[in-house]
Amino acid sequence: MQLRFFANYRAEVGRKEIQRVYPDGSTVGDVLLALEAEFPGLEGELVQDGAVREQTGVLKNGRDVHHLQGTATQLEDTDRLSVFPPVAGGCRDHAMHGRGATGHRSR
């Protein structure tokens, strides 16, 4: 199975992409837990309470597993699993960027 990692998950794995073989009938949850066990920096980052950790993106062949069967989604050797860490949004504190409470630039 092809596994792809992005941002700080890529740094933890040390590569953009790895290949692994898992037993027939493996699920997304099985693979994510195996990755947490294999890479100490991913421990507790991918699965929480039996589900994909909130804000973590996991795609099976380009489809978000949240729209499939989550961690119960079945996988095959020919699948590609892509794993994205949570991504923070922009800055809400306009004062930090020379803007007042109205969002307009201070003069």
Side-chain angles (χ1 to χ4, degrees):
M1 175 178 305
Q2 181 184 36
L3 302 163
R4 299 173 66 202
F5 302 92
F6 297 85
N8 58 318
Y9 289 171
R10 181 179 294 173
E12 294 296 338
V13 172
R15 298 185 60 180
K16 172 176 141 176
E17 189 175 293
I18 61 174
Q19 296 284 331
R20 293 292 184 269
V21 176
Y22 296 100
D24 289 343
S26 290
T27 64
V28 167
D30 296 331
V31 170
L32 295 178
L33 289 172
L35 291 169
E36 285 188 344
E38 182 177 352
F39 300 101
L42 296 181
E43 187 177 356
E45 294 292 318
L46 307 177
V47 178
Q48 183 175 15
D49 299 327
V52 174
R53 189 175 167 128
E54 189 174 331
Q55 304 299 318
T56 296
V58 179
L59 305 180
K60 173 190 172 184
N61 302 325
R63 294 196 60 206
D64 190 331
V65 299
H66 288 100
H67 301 296
L68 300 172
Q69 295 174 333
T71 53
T73 302
Q74 294 285 311
L75 297 170
E76 299 178 15
D77 287 340
T78 57
D79 288 330
R80 178 178 65 210
L81 205 65
S82 302
V83 186
F84 299 84
V87 179
C91 178
R92 290 190 170 271
D93 187 357
H94 296 293
M96 289 179 59
H97 296 285
R99 298 176 189 265
T102 64
H104 298 288
R105 284 213 175 269
S106 304
R107 295 190 184 185

Coordinates of all heavy atoms in Angstrom, one line a residue, residues 15-52:
R15 N 10.1 10.8 5.2 CA 9.9 10.7 3.7 C 8.5 11.1 3.3 O 7.6 11.1 4.2 CB 10.0 9.2 3.3 CG 11.4 8.7 3.6 CD 11.6 7.3 3.1 NE 11.4 7.3 1.6 CZ 11.5 6.3 0.9 NH1 11.8 5.1 1.4 NH2 11.3 6.4 -0.4
K16 N 8.4 11.5 2.1 CA 7.1 11.9 1.6 C 6.1 10.7 1.4 O 4.9 10.8 1.5 CB 7.3 12.6 0.2 CG 6.1 13.0 -0.6 CD 6.6 13.8 -1.8 CE 5.8 13.4 -3.0 NZ 6.1 14.2 -4.2
E17 N 6.7 9.6 1.0 CA 5.9 8.4 0.7 C 6.7 7.2 1.1 O 7.9 7.1 1.0 CB 5.8 8.4 -0.8 CG 4.9 7.5 -1.4 CD 4.7 7.7 -2.9 OE1 4.2 8.7 -3.3 OE2 5.2 6.8 -3.7
I18 N 5.9 6.2 1.6 CA 6.4 4.9 2.0 C 5.5 3.8 1.4 O 4.3 4.1 1.1 CB 6.6 4.7 3.5 CG1 5.3 4.9 4.3 CG2 7.7 5.7 4.0 CD1 5.4 4.5 5.7
Q19 N 6.0 2.6 1.3 CA 5.2 1.5 0.9 C 5.1 0.5 2.1 O 6.1 0.3 2.8 CB 5.8 0.7 -0.3 CG 5.9 1.6 -1.5 CD 4.5 1.7 -2.2 OE1 3.7 0.8 -2.1 NE2 4.3 2.8 -2.9
R20 N 4.0 -0.1 2.4 CA 3.8 -1.0 3.4 C 2.8 -2.1 3.0 O 2.0 -1.9 2.2 CB 3.3 -0.4 4.7 CG 4.2 0.5 5.4 CD 5.5 -0.2 6.0 NE 6.3 0.7 6.7 CZ 7.4 1.4 6.2 NH1 7.6 1.3 4.9 NH2 8.1 2.1 6.9
V21 N 3.0 -3.3 3.6 CA 2.0 -4.4 3.3 C 1.3 -4.7 4.6 O 1.9 -4.8 5.6 CB 2.8 -5.6 2.8 CG1 1.8 -6.8 2.6 CG2 3.5 -5.3 1.5
Y22 N 0.0 -4.7 4.5 CA -0.9 -5.0 5.7 C -1.7 -6.3 5.4 O -2.0 -6.6 4.2 CB -1.8 -3.8 6.0 CG -1.0 -2.6 6.4 CD1 -0.7 -1.6 5.5 CD2 -0.4 -2.5 7.7 CE1 0.0 -0.5 5.8 CE2 0.3 -1.4 8.0 CZ 0.5 -0.4 7.1 OH 1.3 0.7 7.5
P23 N -2.2 -7.0 6.4 CA -3.0 -8.2 6.2 C -4.3 -7.8 5.5 O -4.8 -6.7 5.6 CB -3.3 -8.6 7.6 CG -2.3 -8.0 8.5 CD -1.9 -6.7 7.8
D24 N -4.8 -8.8 4.7 CA -6.1 -8.7 4.0 C -7.1 -8.3 5.1 O -7.1 -8.8 6.2 CB -6.5 -10.0 3.4 CG -5.6 -10.3 2.1 OD1 -5.0 -9.4 1.6 OD2 -5.7 -11.5 1.7
G25 N -8.0 -7.4 4.7 CA -9.1 -7.0 5.6 C -8.7 -5.9 6.5 O -9.5 -5.5 7.3
S26 N -7.5 -5.3 6.3 CA -7.1 -4.2 7.2 C -8.0 -3.0 6.9 O -8.5 -2.8 5.7 CB -5.6 -3.8 6.9 OG -4.8 -4.8 7.4
T27 N -8.2 -2.2 7.9 CA -9.0 -0.9 7.8 C -8.1 0.3 7.9 O -6.9 0.2 8.3 CB -10.0 -0.9 8.9 OG1 -9.4 -0.8 10.1 CG2 -11.0 -2.1 8.8
V28 N -8.6 1.4 7.6 CA -7.9 2.7 7.9 C -7.5 2.8 9.3 O -6.3 3.2 9.6 CB -8.8 3.9 7.5 CG1 -8.2 5.2 8.0 CG2 -9.0 4.0 6.0
G29 N -8.3 2.4 10.3 CA -7.9 2.4 11.7 C -6.7 1.5 12.0 O -5.8 1.9 12.7
D30 N -6.7 0.3 11.4 CA -5.6 -0.6 11.6 C -4.3 0.0 11.1 O -3.3 0.0 11.8 CB -5.8 -1.9 10.8 CG -7.0 -2.7 11.3 OD1 -7.3 -2.6 12.5 OD2 -7.6 -3.4 10.5
V31 N -4.3 0.6 9.9 CA -3.1 1.2 9.3 C -2.7 2.4 10.1 O -1.5 2.6 10.4 CB -3.4 1.6 7.8 CG1 -2.2 2.4 7.3 CG2 -3.6 0.3 7.0
L32 N -3.6 3.3 10.5 CA -3.2 4.5 11.3 C -2.6 4.1 12.6 O -1.6 4.7 13.1 CB -4.4 5.4 11.5 CG -5.0 6.1 10.3 CD1 -6.2 6.9 10.6 CD2 -3.9 6.9 9.5
L33 N -3.2 3.1 13.3 CA -2.6 2.6 14.6 C -1.2 2.0 14.3 O -0.3 2.2 15.2 CB -3.5 1.6 15.3 CG -4.8 2.2 15.8 CD1 -5.8 1.2 16.3 CD2 -4.5 3.2 17.0
A34 N -1.0 1.3 13.2 CA 0.3 0.7 12.9 C 1.3 1.8 12.7 O 2.5 1.7 13.1 CB 0.2 -0.2 11.7
L35 N 0.9 2.9 12.0 CA 1.8 4.0 11.8 C 2.2 4.7 13.1 O 3.3 5.1 13.3 CB 1.2 5.0 10.8 CG 1.0 4.5 9.4 CD1 0.1 5.5 8.6 CD2 2.4 4.3 8.7
E36 N 1.2 4.8 14.0 CA 1.5 5.4 15.3 C 2.5 4.6 16.1 O 3.4 5.1 16.8 CB 0.2 5.6 16.1 CG -0.7 6.7 15.7 CD -1.8 7.0 16.6 OE1 -2.1 6.1 17.5 OE2 -2.4 8.1 16.5
A37 N 2.4 3.3 15.9 CA 3.3 2.4 16.6 C 4.7 2.4 15.9 O 5.7 2.3 16.6 CB 2.8 0.9 16.6
E38 N 4.8 2.5 14.6 CA 6.0 2.5 13.9 C 6.8 3.8 14.1 O 8.0 3.8 14.1 CB 5.8 2.2 12.4 CG 7.0 2.1 11.6 CD 6.8 1.8 10.1 OE1 5.6 1.5 9.8 OE2 7.8 1.9 9.4
F39 N 6.1 4.9 14.1 CA 6.8 6.2 14.1 C 6.4 6.9 15.4 O 5.3 7.4 15.6 CB 6.4 7.1 12.9 CG 6.7 6.4 11.6 CD1 5.8 5.8 10.8 CD2 8.0 6.5 11.1 CE1 6.1 5.2 9.6 CE2 8.4 5.9 9.9 CZ 7.4 5.2 9.2
P40 N 7.3 7.0 16.4 CA 7.0 7.5 17.7 C 6.5 9.0 17.6 O 5.6 9.3 18.5 CB 8.4 7.5 18.4 CG 9.1 6.4 17.8 CD 8.7 6.4 16.3
G41 N 6.9 9.7 16.7 CA 6.4 11.1 16.6 C 4.9 11.2 16.1 O 4.3 12.3 16.2
L42 N 4.4 10.1 15.7 CA 2.9 10.1 15.3 C 2.0 9.5 16.3 O 0.8 9.6 16.2 CB 2.8 9.3 14.0 CG 3.4 9.8 12.7 CD1 3.1 8.8 11.5 CD2 3.0 11.2 12.4
E43 N 2.6 9.0 17.4 CA 1.9 8.4 18.5 C 0.8 9.4 19.0 O 1.2 10.5 19.4 CB 2.8 7.9 19.6 CG 2.0 7.1 20.6 CD 2.9 6.5 21.7 OE1 4.2 6.7 21.6 OE2 2.4 6.0 22.7
G44 N -0.5 9.0 19.0 CA -1.5 9.8 19.5 C -2.0 10.9 18.6 O -2.9 11.7 18.9
E45 N -1.4 11.0 17.4 CA -1.7 12.1 16.5 C -2.7 11.7 15.4 O -3.4 12.6 14.9 CB -0.4 12.5 15.7 CG 0.7 13.1 16.6 CD 0.2 14.5 17.1 OE1 -0.3 15.3 16.4 OE2 0.5 14.7 18.3
L46 N -2.9 10.4 15.2 CA -3.8 10.0 14.1 C -5.2 9.5 14.5 O -6.2 9.7 13.8 CB -3.1 9.0 13.2 CG -1.7 9.3 12.8 CD1 -1.0 8.2 12.0 CD2 -1.7 10.6 11.9
V47 N -5.2 8.8 15.6 CA -6.5 8.2 16.1 C -6.8 8.6 17.5 O -5.9 8.7 18.3 CB -6.4 6.6 16.0 CG1 -7.6 6.0 16.5 CG2 -6.1 6.2 14.6
Q48 N -8.0 8.9 17.7 CA -8.5 9.3 19.1 C -9.8 8.7 19.3 O -10.8 8.9 18.5 CB -8.5 10.8 19.2 CG -8.9 11.3 20.6 CD -8.8 12.8 20.7 OE1 -8.8 13.5 19.7 NE2 -8.8 13.3 21.9
D49 N -9.9 7.9 20.4 CA -11.2 7.2 20.7 C -11.8 6.4 19.6 O -13.0 6.4 19.3 CB -12.2 8.3 21.2 CG -11.8 9.0 22.5 OD1 -11.1 8.4 23.3 OD2 -12.1 10.2 22.6
G50 N -10.9 5.7 18.8 CA -11.3 4.9 17.7 C -11.7 5.6 16.4 O -12.1 4.9 15.5
A51 N -11.5 6.9 16.4 CA -11.9 7.6 15.2 C -10.6 8.4 14.7 O -9.7 8.6 15.5 CB -13.0 8.6 15.4
V52 N -10.7 8.8 13.4 CA -9.6 9.7 13.0 C -9.6 10.9 13.8 O -10.7 11.5 14.1 CB -9.8 10.0 11.5 CG1 -8.7 11.0 11.0 CG2 -9.7 8.8 10.6

